[in-house]
């Protein structure tokens, strides 16, 4: 059991998995890479103890190509909410490579998503690279999400600003 967190990972939020599938498709033909973060199930309205994957953290400076994604490990935060990783295989192969296995040491679950990035094109693995089950859960994610805004909202705020905080952008 980990300090400050229930040891049971209950699954991944459907909205989070939808985000992942879209991000992998948008990144194609390059690999997509991110780190999975979880919240207490009780905070999401579930009457079970455990954790639900709710977020994907993409580390600044991540470099990707059609055959790999490289993360600058010094940029990865030391995060108690981190439970594993997620990345895509543009070639569609849903099993970890030797390079993948070398990165699976940290975290409980590692997800590989393969082209064409649909609901049947992903698998979860434990930190030894063995297939594991990961439920997709219908939960309401909190509205107070970090960076929960769109480019259109940023543009509107910049246009509405009359020389205040955002004026230095112009």
């Amino acid at each position: 059991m980990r300090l400050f967190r229930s040891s049971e990972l209950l699954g991944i939020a459907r909205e989070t998995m939808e985000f992942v599938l879209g991000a992998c498709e948008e990144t194609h033909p390059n690999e997509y890479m991110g780190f999975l973060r979880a919240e207490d199930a009780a905070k999401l309205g579930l009457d079970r103890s455990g954790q639900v994957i709710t977020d994907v953290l993409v580390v600044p400076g991540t470099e990707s190509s059609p055959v790999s994604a490289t993360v600058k490990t010094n940029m990865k935060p030391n995060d108690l909410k981190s439970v594993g990783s997620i990345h895509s295989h543009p070639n569609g192969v849903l099993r970890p490579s030797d390079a993948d296995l070398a990165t699976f040491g940290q975290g409980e679950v590692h997800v590989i998503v393969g082209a064409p990035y649909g609901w049947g094109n992903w698998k979860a693995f434990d930190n030894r690279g063995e297939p594991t089950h990961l439920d997709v859960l219908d939960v309401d994610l909190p509205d107070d999400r970090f960076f929960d805004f769109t480019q259109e909202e940023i543009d509107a705020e910049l246009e509405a600003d009359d020389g205040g905080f955002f004026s230095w952008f112009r």
Side-chain angles (χ1 to χ4, degrees):
M1 180 178 218
R2 291 185 171 193
L3 187 61
F4 304 118
R5 182 165 31 135
S6 167
S7 63
E8 186 178 8
L9 187 59
L10 302 175
I12 185 169
R14 181 173 302 281
E15 185 177 329
T16 304
M17 194 65 208
E18 288 171 352
F19 167 81
V20 165
L21 295 173
C24 290
E25 186 174 16
E26 286 179 25
T27 307
H28 188 84
N30 292 332
E31 283 195 9
Y32 173 82
M33 177 71 183
F35 294 96
L36 300 171
R37 299 178 75 220
E39 286 288 340
D40 247 341
K43 290 183 180 179
L44 302 172
L46 295 177
D47 61 356
R48 298 183 282 175
S49 65
Q51 298 288 305
V52 176
I53 297 168
T54 57
D55 295 296
V56 179
L57 175 66
V58 178
V59 175
T62 298
E63 296 177 6
S64 70
S65 73
V67 295
S68 71
T70 305
V71 174
K72 295 182 180 188
T73 55
N74 64 328
M75 296 293 288
K76 184 181 176 219
N78 186 9
D79 187 355
L80 290 176
K81 294 183 178 186
S82 182
V83 295
S85 67
I86 191 155
H87 76 281
S88 66
H89 282 176
N91 62 7
V93 174
L94 294 179
R95 66 179 176 271
S97 67
D98 289 341
D100 294 337
L101 293 172
T103 66
F104 281 8
Q106 294 181 350
E108 301 169 40
V109 66
H110 303 276
V111 177
I112 296 176
V113 184
Y117 314 112
W119 281 100
N121 303 111
W122 65 276
K123 286 189 179 178
F125 300 89
D126 65 19
N127 59 8
R128 296 177 317 277
E130 297 296 321
T132 190
H133 183 75
L134 185 64
D135 286 328
V136 176
L137 304 173
D138 290 311
V139 295
D140 291 326
L141 297 180
D143 287 335
D144 60 339
R145 316 278 292 160
F146 190 64
F147 290 137
D148 188 17
F149 50 82
T150 65
Q151 185 62 49
E152 290 80 21
E153 291 168 330
I154 295 169
D155 292 342
E157 178 123 4
L158 289 171
E159 287 178 23
D161 186 41
D162 58 357
F165 177 76
F166 291 109
S167 63
W168 62 274
F169 280 115
R170 295 182 212 171

